Amino acid sequence: MFAVAGVTGNTGSVVARELLAAGQAVRVIVRDAAKGEAWKARGADVAVAQLDDAVALARALDGVKGAYLLSPPSVTSSDPLTESRSQVDAMARAVAASAVPHVVFLSSIAAHHPDRTGPILTVHYAEQKLSAAARDVTFVRPSYFLENWRSAFAAVKGDGVLPSFLQPGRAFPMVATEDIGRVAAERLLAGPAGRQVVELTGPEDYTPEAIARALGNALLGREAHVVPLPVEQAEPILTSLGVSPAMAALYREMYTSFHTGHVDFERRGGAVVRGKVGAEAAFAAMAA
Ligand SMILES: NC(=O)c1ccc[n+]([C@@H]2O[C@H](COP(=O)([O-])OP(=O)(O)OC[C@H]3O[C@@H](n4cnc5c(N)ncnc54)[C@H](OP(=O)(O)O)[C@@H]3O)[C@@H](O)[C@H]2O)c1
C-alpha cells in the first residue's frame, strides 16, 4: 500500500490516480473525511490527518511501502516560513516514527539554495529535515507549474491580457502537474533507492508571450497579450488579491530571483528530466 497526501490538489490527485491505475493499494491522507469520499469510491483507504499533526500522520503512514508528501502553500499566513517549517518538522517526526521505507517529497526548482528564493526556502528546509528523518527519500524538484497561470484566466477571458511577473522575451522552465504526479508515482513504484533528486520540467521552456498565445488560444480562440508587471509591484498587487504581506514579500523575492537566474536547477545529479505535457495540452485540460 502507498500513502498519498494532497489528493484534492494538483499533484497528489495525479499520484493517487496513477497508483490506483497501476493496480496498487492506496491510502489517501486528507484533513477532512468528506474529502476522502470520492477516493473511497475509487477503492482507496482514507486516513484523516493534518500534515502538522505528527501523531495522526505517523498513523496514516503506518505499514505503507511508500508515501507522497508535500508542503502545501500558506498564502494567508502572517509568518509563512515559521508555519511551514513547523509543519515540515511534524512531517519529519511522523516519517521517522513510522519508519516508512520510501518518501517521495514534492520539492522545487532551486531547493538547493539556502537563501533568496522566497517560498522555496520551505522545501530547502524540508529536504534537510527529511534527508535526516527518512530511510530513503526522493525529492522531486519541478519547475514553475503551468497551473499557476490559472490565476490569470479571468484577465485572459475578460480583457485578452496576461499579467506576468516573469520577464517578457525570456523563456522559463515550466511543467504541468500531470507530469509531476506521473513521475512521483513512477518513483514510488520503483521503490527505495537511497537519497535521490529528480529535477523536472516540461517538454519545452516558455516565454510569457508563448504562454499568452497558448492560454489565449485555449480560452478565447485567439492569442492574449502580455502585460508585464514590475516585480517591485508584487507586494501591493498580491496583497490586494488576499495574499498576506509576509507571503507577498516572499513571492517578490522569488520573482526577483527568477529574473537574476538564481532560481534555476542545480543540475548536480544529472540532466533535468523533461515531461510530456506542453502548455497547450495543460491549458486545454484546465479549460475543460
Ligand atoms: N506552484 C509552483 O510553481 C511550484 C513549483 C515548485 C514546487 N511547488 C510546490 O508545490 C506545492 C503545491 O503542490 P500542489 O499544487 O500539488 O498542491 P495544491 O494543489 O496547492 O493542494 C494542496 C493539497 O494539500 C492539502 N493540504 C493543505 N494543507 C493541509 C494540511 N494542513 N494537512 C493535510 N493536507 C493539507 C490540500 O487539501 P485541502 O483540500 O484540505 O485543502 C490539498 O490537497 C507548493 O506548496 C510547493 O511546495 C510549487
Side-chain angles (χ1 to χ4, degrees), residues 68-159:
Y68 177 73
L69 297 176
L70 73 170
S71 168
S74 47
V75 294
T76 55
S77 170
S78 60
D79 191 356
L81 288 182
T82 304
E83 202 174 289
S84 299
R85 283 176 182 152
S86 100
Q87 186 181 68
V88 166
D89 289 343
M91 277 193 266
R93 285 199 300 280
V95 162
S98 65
V100 50
H102 186 205
V103 172
V104 173
F105 181 78
L106 178 61
S107 182
S108 173
I109 186 171
H112 57 292
H113 288 308
D115 63 0
R116 291 180 289 129
T117 59
I120 299 169
L121 291 171
T122 295
V123 290
H124 171 79
Y125 179 78
E127 287 202 5
Q128 294 177 318
K129 294 297 281 196
L130 291 173
S131 292
R135 282 161 58 182
D136 287 274
V137 60
T138 303
F139 297 111
V140 177
R141 292 184 182 165
S143 56
Y144 194 81
F145 290 5
L146 283 163
E147 282 70 13
N148 294 343
W149 297 105
R150 197 179 268 133
S151 62
F153 273 27
V156 171
K157 280 186 188 161
D159 305 317

Coordinates of all heavy atoms in Angstrom, one line a residue, residues 68-159:
Y68 N 3.8 9.7 -0.6 CA 3.9 11.0 -1.3 C 3.6 12.1 -0.3 O 2.4 12.1 0.2 CB 3.0 11.0 -2.5 CG 3.1 12.4 -3.3 CD1 4.3 12.7 -4.0 CD2 2.1 13.3 -3.3 CE1 4.4 13.9 -4.7 CE2 2.2 14.5 -3.9 CZ 3.3 14.8 -4.7 OH 3.4 16.0 -5.3
L69 N 4.5 13.0 -0.1 CA 4.2 14.1 0.8 C 4.6 15.4 0.2 O 5.4 15.5 -0.8 CB 5.1 14.0 2.1 CG 4.8 12.7 3.0 CD1 5.7 12.6 4.2 CD2 3.3 12.8 3.5
L70 N 4.0 16.5 0.7 CA 4.3 17.9 0.1 C 4.1 18.9 1.2 O 3.6 18.6 2.3 CB 3.3 18.1 -1.1 CG 1.9 18.4 -0.8 CD1 1.2 18.9 -2.0 CD2 1.1 17.2 -0.2
S71 N 4.6 20.1 0.9 CA 4.4 21.2 1.9 C 3.5 22.2 1.2 O 3.9 23.0 0.4 CB 5.8 21.8 2.2 OG 5.6 23.0 2.8
P72 N 2.2 22.1 1.6 CA 1.2 23.0 0.9 C 1.5 24.5 1.1 O 2.0 24.8 2.2 CB -0.2 22.6 1.4 CG 0.1 21.3 2.1 CD 1.5 21.3 2.5
P73 N 1.1 25.3 0.2 CA 1.3 26.8 0.4 C 0.5 27.4 1.5 O -0.6 26.9 1.8 CB 0.9 27.4 -1.0 CG 0.0 26.4 -1.6 CD 0.4 25.0 -1.0
S74 N 1.0 28.4 2.1 CA 0.3 29.1 3.2 C 0.2 30.5 2.9 O 0.8 31.4 3.5 CB 0.9 28.8 4.6 OG 2.3 29.1 4.5
V75 N -0.6 30.9 1.9 CA -0.6 32.2 1.3 C -1.2 33.3 2.2 O -0.9 34.5 2.0 CB -1.2 32.3 -0.1 CG1 -0.5 31.4 -1.1 CG2 -2.7 31.8 0.0
T76 N -2.0 32.9 3.2 CA -2.6 34.0 4.0 C -1.8 34.1 5.4 O -2.3 34.9 6.2 CB -4.1 33.7 4.3 OG1 -4.2 32.4 4.8 CG2 -4.9 33.8 3.0
S77 N -0.8 33.3 5.6 CA -0.1 33.3 6.9 C 0.6 34.6 7.2 O 1.3 35.1 6.3 CB 0.8 32.1 7.0 OG 1.6 32.2 8.1
S78 N 0.6 35.0 8.4 CA 1.4 36.2 8.8 C 2.9 35.9 9.0 O 3.7 36.8 9.0 CB 0.9 36.9 10.0 OG 0.9 36.0 11.1
D79 N 3.2 34.6 9.1 CA 4.6 34.1 9.3 C 4.7 32.8 8.5 O 4.9 31.8 9.1 CB 4.9 34.0 10.8 CG 6.4 33.8 11.0 OD1 7.1 33.7 10.0 OD2 6.8 33.7 12.2
P80 N 4.7 32.9 7.2 CA 4.6 31.6 6.4 C 5.8 30.7 6.6 O 5.6 29.5 6.7 CB 4.5 32.1 5.0 CG 4.7 33.5 4.9 CD 4.6 34.1 6.3
L81 N 7.0 31.2 6.7 CA 8.2 30.3 6.8 C 8.2 29.6 8.1 O 8.4 28.4 8.2 CB 9.5 31.1 6.6 CG 9.8 31.6 5.2 CD1 11.1 32.3 5.2 CD2 9.7 30.5 4.2
T82 N 7.9 30.3 9.2 CA 7.8 29.6 10.5 C 6.7 28.5 10.5 O 6.9 27.4 11.0 CB 7.6 30.6 11.7 OG1 8.6 31.6 11.6 CG2 7.6 30.0 13.0
E83 N 5.6 28.9 10.0 CA 4.4 28.0 10.0 C 4.8 26.7 9.1 O 4.6 25.6 9.6 CB 3.2 28.7 9.4 CG 1.9 28.1 9.8 CD 0.8 28.9 9.2 OE1 0.5 30.1 9.7 OE2 0.1 28.5 8.3
S84 N 5.4 27.0 8.0 CA 5.7 25.8 7.1 C 6.8 25.0 7.7 O 6.7 23.7 7.6 CB 6.2 26.3 5.7 OG 5.1 27.1 5.1
R85 N 7.7 25.6 8.3 CA 8.8 24.8 8.9 C 8.3 24.0 10.1 O 8.7 22.8 10.2 CB 10.0 25.7 9.4 CG 10.8 26.2 8.3 CD 11.9 27.2 8.7 NE 12.6 27.6 7.5 CZ 13.2 28.8 7.4 NH1 13.2 29.7 8.4 NH2 13.8 29.1 6.3
S86 N 7.3 24.5 10.8 CA 6.8 23.6 11.9 C 6.0 22.5 11.4 O 6.0 21.4 11.9 CB 6.1 24.5 13.0 OG 4.8 24.4 12.8
Q87 N 5.3 22.7 10.2 CA 4.6 21.6 9.6 C 5.7 20.5 9.0 O 5.4 19.3 9.2 CB 3.8 22.1 8.4 CG 2.9 21.1 7.7 CD 2.2 21.7 6.6 OE1 2.7 22.0 5.6 NE2 0.9 21.8 6.7
V88 N 6.8 21.0 8.5 CA 7.8 20.1 8.0 C 8.4 19.3 9.1 O 8.6 18.1 9.0 CB 8.9 20.9 7.3 CG1 10.2 20.1 7.1 CG2 8.4 21.4 5.9
D89 N 8.6 20.0 10.3 CA 9.1 19.3 11.5 C 8.2 18.1 11.9 O 8.6 17.0 12.2 CB 9.3 20.3 12.7 CG 10.4 21.2 12.5 OD1 11.3 21.0 11.6 OD2 10.4 22.3 13.2
A90 N 6.9 18.4 11.8 CA 5.9 17.4 12.2 C 5.9 16.2 11.2 O 5.9 15.0 11.6 CB 4.5 18.0 12.3
M91 N 6.1 16.6 9.9 CA 6.1 15.5 8.9 C 7.4 14.7 9.1 O 7.3 13.4 9.0 CB 6.2 16.1 7.5 CG 4.8 16.5 6.9 SD 4.9 16.9 5.1 CE 5.1 18.6 5.2
A92 N 8.5 15.3 9.4 CA 9.8 14.6 9.7 C 9.6 13.6 10.9 O 10.1 12.5 10.8 CB 10.9 15.5 9.8
R93 N 8.9 14.1 11.9 CA 8.7 13.3 13.1 C 7.9 12.0 12.7 O 8.1 10.9 13.1 CB 8.1 14.0 14.2 CG 9.0 15.0 15.0 CD 8.5 15.4 16.3 NE 7.2 16.1 16.3 CZ 7.0 17.3 16.0 NH1 8.0 18.1 15.7 NH2 5.8 17.9 16.0
A94 N 6.8 12.3 11.9 CA 5.9 11.2 11.5 C 6.7 10.2 10.6 O 6.5 9.0 10.8 CB 4.7 11.8 10.8
V95 N 7.5 10.7 9.7 CA 8.3 9.8 8.8 C 9.2 8.9 9.7 O 9.3 7.7 9.5 CB 9.0 10.7 7.8 CG1 10.1 9.9 7.1 CG2 8.0 11.2 6.8
A96 N 9.9 9.5 10.6 CA 10.8 8.8 11.5 C 10.1 7.8 12.3 O 10.5 6.6 12.4 CB 11.6 9.7 12.4
A97 N 9.0 8.2 12.9 CA 8.2 7.3 13.9 C 7.6 6.1 13.1 O 7.6 5.0 13.6 CB 7.1 8.1 14.6
S98 N 7.2 6.3 11.9 CA 6.5 5.3 11.1 C 7.5 4.4 10.4 O 7.2 3.3 10.0 CB 5.6 5.9 10.1 OG 6.3 6.6 9.1
A99 N 8.8 4.9 10.3 CA 9.8 4.2 9.5 C 9.3 3.8 8.1 O 9.7 2.7 7.6 CB 10.3 3.0 10.3
V100 N 8.5 4.6 7.5 CA 8.1 4.4 6.1 C 9.3 4.2 5.3 O 10.3 5.0 5.3 CB 7.2 5.5 5.6 CG1 7.7 6.9 5.9 CG2 6.8 5.3 4.2
P101 N 9.4 3.1 4.5 CA 10.7 2.8 3.8 C 11.0 3.8 2.7 O 12.2 3.9 2.3 CB 10.4 1.4 3.1 CG 9.2 0.9 3.8 CD 8.4 2.0 4.3
H102 N 10.1 4.5 2.1 CA 10.4 5.4 1.0 C 9.4 6.6 1.0 O 8.2 6.4 1.0 CB 10.3 4.7 -0.4 CG 10.7 5.4 -1.5 ND1 10.3 5.2 -2.8 CD2 11.6 6.5 -1.7 CE1 10.8 6.0 -3.7 NE2 11.6 6.8 -3.0
V103 N 10.0 7.8 1.0 CA 9.2 9.0 0.9 C 9.5 9.7 -0.5 O 10.7 9.9 -0.8 CB 9.5 10.0 2.0 CG1 8.8 11.3 1.8 CG2 9.0 9.4 3.4
V104 N 8.5 10.0 -1.2 CA 8.7 10.9 -2.4 C 8.1 12.2 -2.0 O 6.9 12.4 -1.7 CB 8.0 10.4 -3.7 CG1 8.1 11.4 -4.8 CG2 8.7 9.0 -4.1
F105 N 9.0 13.3 -1.9 CA 8.6 14.6 -1.4 C 8.6 15.6 -2.6 O 9.5 15.6 -3.3 CB 9.5 15.0 -0.3 CG 9.1 16.4 0.3 CD1 8.0 16.5 1.1 CD2 9.7 17.5 -0.1 CE1 7.6 17.7 1.6 CE2 9.4 18.8 0.4 CZ 8.3 18.9 1.2
L106 N 7.5 16.4 -2.7 CA 7.4 17.4 -3.7 C 8.3 18.6 -3.2 O 7.9 19.4 -2.4 CB 6.0 17.9 -3.9 CG 5.7 19.0 -4.9 CD1 6.2 18.6 -6.3 CD2 4.3 19.4 -4.9
S107 N 9.4 18.8 -3.9 CA 10.3 19.9 -3.6 C 10.1 21.0 -4.7 O 9.0 21.2 -5.2 CB 11.7 19.4 -3.4 OG 12.6 20.4 -3.1
S108 N 11.2 21.6 -5.1 CA 11.1 22.7 -6.1 C 12.4 22.9 -6.8 O 13.5 22.7 -6.2 CB 10.6 24.0 -5.4 OG 10.7 25.0 -6.3
I109 N 12.3 23.4 -8.0 CA 13.5 24.1 -8.6 C 14.1 25.0 -7.6 O 13.4 25.7 -6.8 CB 13.1 24.8 -9.9 CG1 14.3 25.4 -10.7 CG2 12.1 26.0 -9.6 CD1 13.9 25.9 -12.1
A110 N 15.5 25.0 -7.5 CA 16.2 26.0 -6.7 C 16.2 25.6 -5.2 O 16.6 26.4 -4.4 CB 15.8 27.4 -6.9
A111 N 15.7 24.4 -4.9 CA 15.6 24.0 -3.4 C 17.0 23.8 -2.9 O 17.1 23.7 -1.6 CB 14.8 22.7 -3.3
H112 N 18.0 23.7 -3.7 CA 19.4 23.5 -3.2 C 19.9 24.8 -2.6 O 20.9 24.8 -1.8 CB 20.3 23.1 -4.3 CG 20.4 24.0 -5.5 ND1 19.3 24.2 -6.3 CD2 21.4 24.8 -6.0 CE1 19.7 25.0 -7.3 NE2 20.9 25.4 -7.1
H113 N 19.3 26.0 -2.9 CA 19.8 27.3 -2.3 C 19.3 27.5 -0.9 O 18.1 27.4 -0.7 CB 19.3 28.4 -3.2 CG 20.0 28.5 -4.5 ND1 21.3 28.5 -4.7 CD2 19.5 28.6 -5.8 CE1 21.6 28.6 -6.0 NE2 20.5 28.7 -6.7
P114 N 20.1 28.0 0.0 CA 19.7 28.3 1.3 C 19.1 29.8 1.5 O 18.7 30.2 2.6 CB 21.0 28.2 2.2 CG 22.1 28.5 1.2 CD 21.6 28.1 -0.2
D115 N 19.1 30.5 0.4 CA 18.7 31.9 0.5 C 18.1 32.5 -0.8 O 18.2 31.9 -1.8 CB 19.9 32.8 1.0 CG 21.0 32.8 -0.1 OD1 20.8 32.1 -1.2 OD2 22.0 33.4 0.1
R116 N 17.4 33.6 -0.6 CA 16.9 34.4 -1.8 C 16.0 33.7 -2.7 O 15.9 34.0 -3.9 CB 18.1 35.0 -2.5 CG 18.8 36.1 -1.8 CD 20.0 36.7 -2.6 NE 21.0 35.7 -2.7 CZ 21.6 35.4 -3.9 NH1 21.2 36.0 -5.0 NH2 22.6 34.5 -3.9
T117 N 15.2 32.7 -2.2 CA 14.3 32.0 -3.1 C 12.8 32.1 -2.6 O 11.9 31.4 -3.1 CB 14.7 30.5 -3.2 OG1 14.6 30.0 -1.9 CG2 16.0 30.4 -3.8
G118 N 12.6 33.0 -1.6 CA 11.2 33.2 -1.1 C 10.6 31.9 -0.6 O 11.2 31.2 0.2
P119 N 9.4 31.5 -1.1 CA 8.7 30.4 -0.5 C 9.4 29.1 -0.7 O 9.2 28.1 -0.1 CB 7.3 30.3 -1.3 CG 7.4 31.3 -2.4 CD 8.6 32.2 -2.1
I120 N 10.4 29.0 -1.7 CA 11.1 27.8 -2.0 C 12.0 27.5 -0.8 O 12.5 26.3 -0.6 CB 12.0 28.0 -3.3 CG1 11.0 28.2 -4.4 CG2 12.9 26.8 -3.6 CD1 11.7 28.7 -5.7
L121 N 12.3 28.5 0.1 CA 13.1 28.2 1.3 C 12.5 27.1 2.2 O 13.2 26.4 2.9 CB 13.2 29.5 2.2 CG 14.1 30.6 1.5 CD1 13.9 31.9 2.3 CD2 15.5 30.1 1.4
T122 N 11.2 27.0 2.1 CA 10.5 25.9 2.9 C 10.9 24.5 2.5 O 11.2 23.7 3.3 CB 9.0 26.0 2.8 OG1 8.6 27.3 3.4 CG2 8.3 24.9 3.5
V123 N 11.0 24.3 1.1 CA 11.3 23.0 0.7 C 12.9 22.8 0.8 O 13.3 21.6 0.9 CB 10.8 22.7 -0.7 CG1 9.3 22.5 -0.7 CG2 11.2 23.7 -1.8
H124 N 13.6 23.8 0.8 CA 15.1 23.7 1.1 C 15.2 23.1 2.5 O 15.9 22.1 2.7 CB 15.8 25.0 1.0 CG 17.2 25.0 1.5 ND1 18.2 24.5 0.8 CD2 17.7 25.3 2.7 CE1 19.3 24.6 1.5 NE2 19.1 25.1 2.7
Y125 N 14.4 23.7 3.4 CA 14.4 23.2 4.8 C 13.9 21.7 4.9 O 14.5 20.9 5.5 CB 13.6 24.1 5.6 CG 13.4 23.8 7.1 CD1 14.4 24.0 8.0 CD2 12.3 23.2 7.6 CE1 14.3 23.7 9.3 CE2 12.1 22.8 8.9 CZ 13.1 23.1 9.8 OH 13.0 22.8 11.1
A126 N 12.8 21.5 4.1 CA 12.2 20.1 4.1 C 13.2 19.1 3.6 O 13.3 18.0 4.2 CB 11.0 20.1 3.3
E127 N 14.0 19.4 2.6 CA 15.0 18.5 2.1 C 16.0 18.1 3.2 O 16.4 16.9 3.3 CB 15.7 19.0 0.8 CG 14.8 19.0 -0.4 CD 15.6 19.1 -1.7 OE1 16.8 19.0 -1.7 OE2 14.9 19.2 -2.8
Q128 N 16.4 19.0 4.0 CA 17.3 18.7 5.0 C 16.7 17.9 6.1 O 17.3 16.9 6.5 CB 17.9 20.0 5.6 CG 18.7 20.8 4.6 CD 19.2 22.1 5.1 OE1 18.4 22.8 5.8 NE2 20.4 22.4 4.9
K129 N 15.5 18.3 6.5 CA 14.9 17.5 7.6 C 14.5 16.1 7.2 O 14.7 15.2 8.0 CB 13.6 18.3 8.1 CG 13.8 19.6 8.7 CD 14.6 19.5 10.0 CE 13.8 19.1 11.2 NZ 14.5 19.4 12.5
L130 N 14.0 16.0 6.0 CA 13.5 14.6 5.6 C 14.7 13.7 5.2 O 14.7 12.5 5.4 CB 12.6 14.7 4.4 CG 11.2 15.3 4.8 CD1 10.3 15.6 3.5 CD2 10.4 14.4 5.7
S131 N 15.8 14.3 4.8 CA 17.0 13.5 4.5 C 17.5 12.9 5.8 O 18.0 11.8 5.8 CB 18.2 14.4 3.9 OG 17.8 14.9 2.7
A132 N 17.3 13.6 6.9 CA 17.8 13.1 8.2 C 16.7 12.1 8.7 O 17.1 11.1 9.4 CB 18.0 14.2 9.2
A133 N 15.4 12.3 8.5 CA 14.4 11.5 9.1 C 14.0 10.3 8.4 O 13.6 9.3 9.0 CB 13.1 12.4 9.3
A134 N 14.2 10.3 7.0 CA 13.6 9.2 6.2 C 14.7 8.1 6.0 O 15.8 8.4 5.9 CB 13.1 9.7 4.9
R135 N 14.2 6.9 5.8 CA 15.2 5.8 5.4 C 15.6 6.0 4.0 O 16.8 6.1 3.7 CB 14.4 4.5 5.6 CG 14.4 4.0 7.0 CD 13.3 3.0 7.3 NE 13.5 1.7 6.5 CZ 12.7 0.7 6.5 NH1 11.6 0.7 7.3 NH2 12.9 -0.4 5.8
D136 N 14.7 6.2 3.1 CA 15.1 6.5 1.7 C 14.1 7.6 1.2 O 12.9 7.5 1.5 CB 14.9 5.3 0.8 CG 16.1 4.3 1.1 OD1 17.1 4.4 0.5 OD2 15.8 3.4 1.9
V137 N 14.6 8.5 0.5 CA 13.8 9.7 0.1 C 14.1 10.2 -1.3 O 15.3 10.2 -1.7 CB 13.9 10.8 1.2 CG1 15.3 11.3 1.3 CG2 13.0 12.0 0.9
T138 N 13.1 10.5 -2.0 CA 13.3 11.0 -3.4 C 12.7 12.4 -3.4 O 11.5 12.6 -3.1 CB 12.6 10.1 -4.4 OG1 13.1 8.8 -4.4 CG2 12.8 10.7 -5.9
F139 N 13.5 13.4 -3.7 CA 13.0 14.8 -3.9 C 12.7 15.1 -5.3 O 13.6 15.0 -6.2 CB 14.0 15.8 -3.3 CG 14.2 15.6 -1.8 CD1 15.5 15.1 -1.4 CD2 13.2 15.8 -0.9 CE1 15.7 14.9 0.0 CE2 13.4 15.6 0.5 CZ 14.7 15.2 0.9
V140 N 11.4 15.3 -5.6 CA 11.1 15.7 -7.0 C 11.1 17.3 -7.0 O 10.4 17.9 -6.2 CB 9.7 15.2 -7.4 CG1 9.3 15.7 -8.8 CG2 9.7 13.7 -7.4
R141 N 12.0 17.8 -7.8 CA 12.1 19.3 -7.9 C 11.6 19.8 -9.2 O 12.3 19.9 -10.2 CB 13.6 19.7 -7.7 CG 14.2 19.4 -6.4 CD 15.6 19.9 -6.4 NE 16.4 19.7 -5.2 CZ 17.7 19.8 -5.1 NH1 18.4 20.2 -6.2 NH2 18.3 19.5 -4.0
P142 N 10.3 20.2 -9.2 CA 9.7 20.7 -10.5 C 10.0 22.2 -10.7 O 10.3 22.9 -9.8 CB 8.2 20.4 -10.3 CG 8.0 20.5 -8.8 CD 9.3 20.1 -8.2
S143 N 9.9 22.6 -12.0 CA 9.9 24.0 -12.3 C 8.6 24.7 -12.0 O 7.7 24.1 -11.4 CB 10.4 24.2 -13.8 OG 9.5 23.5 -14.6
Y144 N 8.4 25.9 -12.5 CA 7.2 26.7 -12.3 C 6.0 25.9 -12.9 O 6.0 25.5 -14.0 CB 7.4 28.0 -13.1 CG 6.5 29.1 -12.8 CD1 6.7 29.9 -11.7 CD2 5.5 29.4 -13.7 CE1 5.9 31.0 -11.5 CE2 4.6 30.5 -13.5 CZ 4.8 31.3 -12.4 OH 4.0 32.4 -12.1
F145 N 5.0 25.8 -12.0 CA 3.8 25.0 -12.5 C 3.0 25.8 -13.6 O 2.7 26.9 -13.4 CB 2.8 24.8 -11.4 CG 3.2 23.8 -10.3 CD1 4.5 23.3 -10.2 CD2 2.3 23.5 -9.3 CE1 4.9 22.4 -9.2 CE2 2.7 22.6 -8.2 CZ 4.0 22.1 -8.2
L146 N 2.7 25.1 -14.7 CA 1.8 25.7 -15.7 C 0.5 26.0 -15.1 O -0.2 27.0 -15.5 CB 1.6 24.7 -16.9 CG 2.9 24.7 -17.8 CD1 2.8 23.4 -18.7 CD2 2.9 25.9 -18.7
E147 N 0.1 25.3 -14.1 CA -1.2 25.6 -13.4 C -1.2 26.9 -12.7 O -2.3 27.4 -12.3 CB -1.5 24.4 -12.4 CG -2.1 23.2 -13.1 CD -1.1 22.4 -13.9 OE1 0.1 22.7 -13.8 OE2 -1.5 21.5 -14.7
N148 N 0.0 27.5 -12.4 CA 0.0 28.8 -11.8 C -0.8 29.8 -12.6 O -1.3 30.8 -12.1 CB 1.4 29.3 -11.6 CG 2.2 28.5 -10.6 OD1 1.6 27.7 -9.8 ND2 3.5 28.6 -10.6
W149 N -0.8 29.6 -14.0 CA -1.4 30.6 -14.8 C -2.9 30.6 -14.7 O -3.6 31.4 -15.3 CB -1.0 30.3 -16.3 CG 0.5 30.5 -16.5 CD1 1.4 29.6 -16.6 CD2 1.2 31.8 -16.5 NE1 2.7 30.1 -16.8 CE2 2.5 31.5 -16.7 CE3 0.8 33.1 -16.4 CZ2 3.5 32.5 -16.8 CZ3 1.8 34.1 -16.5 CH2 3.1 33.8 -16.7
R150 N -3.5 29.6 -13.9 CA -4.9 29.6 -13.7 C -5.4 30.9 -13.1 O -6.5 31.4 -13.4 CB -5.3 28.4 -12.8 CG -6.7 28.0 -12.8 CD -7.0 26.9 -11.8 NE -6.9 25.6 -12.5 CZ -6.3 24.5 -12.0 NH1 -5.6 24.6 -10.9 NH2 -6.2 23.4 -12.7
S151 N -4.5 31.5 -12.3 CA -4.9 32.8 -11.7 C -5.1 33.9 -12.7 O -5.6 35.0 -12.4 CB -3.8 33.2 -10.6 OG -2.6 33.4 -11.3
A152 N -4.6 33.7 -13.9 CA -4.7 34.7 -15.0 C -5.9 34.5 -15.9 O -6.2 35.2 -16.8 CB -3.5 34.8 -15.8
F153 N -6.7 33.4 -15.6 CA -7.8 33.0 -16.5 C -8.8 34.2 -16.7 O -9.2 34.5 -17.8 CB -8.5 31.8 -16.0 CG -8.0 30.5 -16.4 CD1 -6.6 30.4 -16.7 CD2 -8.8 29.4 -16.5 CE1 -6.1 29.1 -17.1 CE2 -8.3 28.1 -16.9 CZ -6.9 28.0 -17.2
A154 N -9.1 34.9 -15.6 CA -10.2 35.9 -15.7 C -9.7 37.1 -16.6 O -10.4 37.6 -17.4 CB -10.5 36.4 -14.3
A155 N -8.4 37.4 -16.4 CA -7.9 38.6 -17.2 C -7.8 38.2 -18.7 O -8.1 39.0 -19.6 CB -6.5 39.0 -16.7
V156 N -7.4 36.9 -18.9 CA -7.3 36.5 -20.3 C -8.7 36.5 -21.0 O -8.9 37.0 -22.0 CB -6.6 35.1 -20.4 CG1 -6.8 34.5 -21.8 CG2 -5.2 35.2 -20.0
K157 N -9.7 35.9 -20.2 CA -11.0 35.8 -20.8 C -11.7 37.1 -20.9 O -12.4 37.4 -21.9 CB -11.9 34.9 -19.9 CG -11.7 33.4 -20.0 CD -12.7 32.7 -19.1 CE -12.5 31.2 -19.1 NZ -13.2 30.6 -18.0
G158 N -11.5 38.0 -19.9 CA -12.2 39.2 -19.8 C -11.6 40.3 -20.7 O -12.3 41.0 -21.5
D159 N -10.2 40.4 -20.7 CA -9.6 41.5 -21.4 C -8.6 41.1 -22.5 O -7.9 41.9 -23.1 CB -8.8 42.4 -20.4 CG -9.8 42.9 -19.3 OD1 -10.9 43.3 -19.6 OD2 -9.4 42.8 -18.1

